[in-house]
Amino acid sequence: MTGGEVFMILVVAVWLSELPKPQLGEPRDLSTLRMQPAQDDVLTLSQTLDGLLAKDTVQVELIPEKKGLFLKHVEYQVTSQRYKISVYRRYSDFDVFHEVLLQRFAYRVVPALPPKRMLKGVLTSLSEREFIEGRRRGLGRFINLVARHPFFSEDELVKTFLTFSGSDVQSRLRDTCKKMGDEFMINRIATQAKEYLPADIQAQFSTSREMIRNIHNSFQRLRDRAEKMVERSKDNASDLLMFGKELSTLGSDASPLPSLASSQSTWGTLRQSLKSLSVEFAVLSDKAAQQGRREEDDVVEKLNLFLDLLQSYRDLCERHEKGVLHEHQKALHKYSVMKRQMMSATVQPKEQASVEQLESRIVQQENAIQTMELRNYFSLFCLHQETQLIFTYLPITSHILGSFVNSQVQGHREMGEVWSELQPKLGCLFSGNNGLKHSV
């Protein structure tokens, strides 16, 4: 080995000795090492329908007024199963809550409220009492969809509405919203939303929107048919009751038979027996009315709940297109006008102050456009999640069908039991006439 080679070896040895030595630890420590989990997929909702429904169930009940239901203000008792508390709210409280919810979550599905008043000339066939009951149901659907939303359910606004028992809940809601700001301002990934979106997000959005539109139309037709079944059940209840009353009227007629009547006529005996049958028909009427209520509560209401969600999704799509995208396009147009003005100012001599003002306005507009672009991507990000929410709710179809089948089975069974009890009574009443054996 030459002297030069020895020198080089010594230099390398000294260099290596100066490097920091890694702390490898003991071999037994290797068992504690684990692969680090990948970054969470923030775009995907990990929710199930059962999980959403279990978040909360909120009851909205009308508080009976001492002077009747037709006062200017109607109050509701709102009871949250989650918070185990009841609070009292007026429609105006719901209205303010809806308003601040839209301000805070402009890029999410916020269900609409039912109308505050009857529309003149449109709902003439609807009584005031029926309208108030329909509005109560609509408010119940609204608050349950909100309380079960994966993002709303943990928000301070929702908790305030469901739990605050002070005298001015509206001011509390507005103050809370003002302090917290809108979702874009506080969401940790709002400014990076573009990075999480798939490249074909616009195509996915268009396809999903069309599919959900078709689903919405189909569910509207299902709801319309279900409502007709409810009306038929109510009409059946009314007809059965009137049928029994007419039998009772016949049976209550104590007029003596005319001499022309045959001595063999049994009408006098039959007439006396008819009155007792009105009791059975009253029971049948009650069973038919119960069937109508089951169909309305278990089938129509669930259809309306899902329809409210589907409509709020369509409203969200319109807000995205007519709101965020439209404002972005307006800002770009305004920016292009400013740039042309700036180019004109550089060609034609103008006062330095006016040029500087124009430059400042251009910078401000550039910042505004950048913010709008970020909001646009965040809006698409939220739309993608809200689309997933719609599909998460789709299995509610099986819940609706199950309720429909169960209501029909129970209704027919109960009606069948009453008819079966009525049959032998007719046999006893009309045994001499073979009324059950021969048809006219």
Side-chain angles (χ1 to χ4, degrees):
M1 182 178 295
T2 65
E5 291 173 335
V6 172
F7 176 76
M8 289 299 299
I9 291 173
L10 290 173
V11 169
V12 170
V14 171
W15 177 68
L16 288 174
S17 66
E18 292 177 351
L19 289 177
K21 296 180 180 179
Q23 301 296 321
L24 297 179
E26 297 296 327
R28 63 176 178 272
D29 296 334
L30 293 175
S31 61
T32 62
L33 296 179
R34 296 288 186 275
M35 291 185 64
Q36 294 297 318
Q39 186 179 13
D40 292 339
D41 184 4
V42 295
L43 186 61
T44 303
L45 289 181
S46 301
Q47 300 283 341
T48 64
L49 177 60
D50 289 342
L52 292 175
L53 297 179
K55 284 182 177 292
D56 201 356
T57 297
V58 185
Q59 299 291 334
V60 178
E61 300 297 338
L62 194 65
I63 298 177
E65 297 281 358
K66 293 181 180 179
K67 297 181 181 179
L69 294 176
F70 310 130
L71 296 179
K72 186 177 180 180
H73 297 293
V74 176
E75 213 170 18
Y76 304 92
Q77 183 179 29
V78 180
T79 306
S80 166
Q81 191 177 85
R82 175 184 181 182
Y83 294 108
K84 295 179 174 56
I85 189 173
S86 293
V87 292
Y88 299 98
R89 300 286 182 256
R90 290 179 174 176
Y91 182 90
S92 58
D93 299 329
F94 279 92
D95 196 28
V96 171
F97 178 50
H98 181 263
E99 174 191 324
V100 295
L101 207 59
L102 267 177
Q103 291 174 8
R104 180 154 166 72
F105 295 103
Y107 311 123
R108 303 286 181 185
V109 287
V110 179
L113 290 176
K116 182 177 182 179
R117 295 182 179 88
M118 293 175 65
L119 302 177
K120 293 183 179 179
V122 177
L123 301 177
T124 53
S125 61
L126 196 64
S127 71
E128 183 79 8
R129 188 180 297 272
E130 289 173 324
F131 173 77
I132 291 176
E133 170 60 16
R135 188 175 66 182
R136 181 195 67 81
R137 289 177 179 269
L139 292 174
R141 295 193 300 270
F142 163 78
I143 193 60
N144 274 285
L145 285 172
V146 169
R148 294 166 179 170
H149 191 282
F151 297 101
F152 302 166
S153 59
E154 304 304 321
D155 193 76
E156 189 64 27
L157 281 175
V158 177
K159 183 178 180 181
T160 299
F161 185 81
L162 292 175
T163 63
F164 181 72
S165 57
S167 58
D168 194 355
V169 67
Q170 297 182 20
S171 296
R172 176 63 69 93
L173 287 169
R174 287 195 172 101
D175 291 343
T176 301
C177 182
K178 188 176 180 180
K179 290 176 183 177
M180 300 176 70
D182 77 317
E183 186 183 13
F184 176 80
M185 298 301 294
I186 63 172
N187 193 298
R188 63 183 178 84
I189 62 162
T191 56
Q192 289 89 36
K194 182 180 179 180
E195 301 174 10
Y196 296 98
L197 294 173
D200 60 342
I201 181 63
Q202 292 290 358
Q204 287 189 32
F205 169 56
S206 298
T207 302
S208 299
R209 185 179 184 181
E210 180 64 19
M211 182 181 295
I212 291 172
R213 185 184 69 83
N214 293 332
I215 291 171
H216 188 197
N217 292 336
S218 293
F219 268 84
Q220 281 183 320
R221 290 190 288 269
L222 286 172
R223 189 269 317 277
D224 292 344
R225 294 298 173 182
E227 286 181 337
K228 288 184 177 181
M229 284 186 273
V230 171
E231 289 303 315
R232 283 199 294 270
S233 294
K234 291 179 179 179
D235 290 342
N236 188 32
S238 178
D239 290 340
L240 285 167
L241 185 62
M242 292 306 300
F243 193 92
K245 286 182 177 180
E246 290 301 330
L247 289 177
S248 179
T249 300
L250 279 173
S252 300
D253 185 6
S255 303
L257 292 176
S259 58
L260 294 176
S262 169
S263 59
Q264 299 297 319
S265 174
T266 59
W267 173 242
T269 305
L270 292 178
R271 186 173 62 180
Q272 295 174 4
S273 305
L274 292 176
K275 188 174 183 179
S276 63
L277 294 180
S278 62
V279 176
E280 276 74 16
F281 279 93
V283 175
L284 286 167
S285 173
D286 184 60
K287 296 296 183 184
Q290 290 179 25
Q291 172 69 7
R293 287 192 291 270
R294 276 194 299 268
E295 290 168 346
E296 190 167 27
D297 295 340
D298 299 340
V299 182
V300 174
E301 268 304 292
K302 288 178 181 176
L303 284 166
N304 278 329
L305 178 80
F306 190 43
L307 281 170
D308 287 352
L309 181 65
L310 291 171
Q311 182 60 54
S312 64
Y313 177 81
R314 296 180 72 168
D315 294 342
L316 174 63
C317 293
E318 289 191 11
R319 285 204 304 275
H320 172 74
E321 291 183 339
K322 296 180 180 180
V324 180
L325 289 180
H326 182 65
E327 291 299 321
H328 188 204
Q329 290 168 357
K330 282 175 59 179
L332 288 174
H333 175 72
K334 184 177 179 181
Y335 178 71
S336 65
V337 172
M338 288 181 177
K339 293 292 286 185
R340 287 195 296 269
Q341 291 174 346
M342 188 65 186
M343 291 177 64
S344 176
T346 56
V347 173
Q348 301 175 3
K350 290 190 175 182
E351 293 183 6
Q352 183 65 24
S354 62
V355 174
E356 290 177 354
Q357 288 178 358
L358 187 57
E359 288 177 344
S360 175
R361 288 173 56 200
I362 289 176
V363 171
Q364 292 176 0
Q365 191 65 13
E366 287 174 345
N367 293 334
I369 290 173
Q370 184 180 13
T371 300
M372 288 181 184
E373 286 178 347
L374 292 175
R375 281 187 175 273
N376 178 43
Y377 285 118
F378 184 64
S379 178
L380 280 172
F381 179 91
C382 295
L383 256 176
H384 194 81
Q385 291 185 323
E386 299 303 292
T387 303
Q388 296 174 60
L389 179 64
I390 299 297
F391 285 102
T392 302
Y393 258 95
L394 269 175
I396 201 172
T397 309
S398 61
H399 292 223
I400 295 169
L401 288 174
S403 298
F404 175 63
V405 171
N406 291 337
S407 70
Q408 297 303 312
V409 169
Q410 183 177 350
H412 286 293
R413 183 180 66 247
E414 291 180 355
M415 293 282 285
E417 289 173 355
V418 180
W419 285 117
S420 297
E421 291 173 1
L422 182 59
Q423 191 174 29
K425 293 181 181 180
L426 293 178
C428 295
L429 291 173
F430 308 131
S431 58
N433 297 279
N434 296 321
L436 297 177
K437 296 180 180 179
H438 303 290
S439 59
V440 176

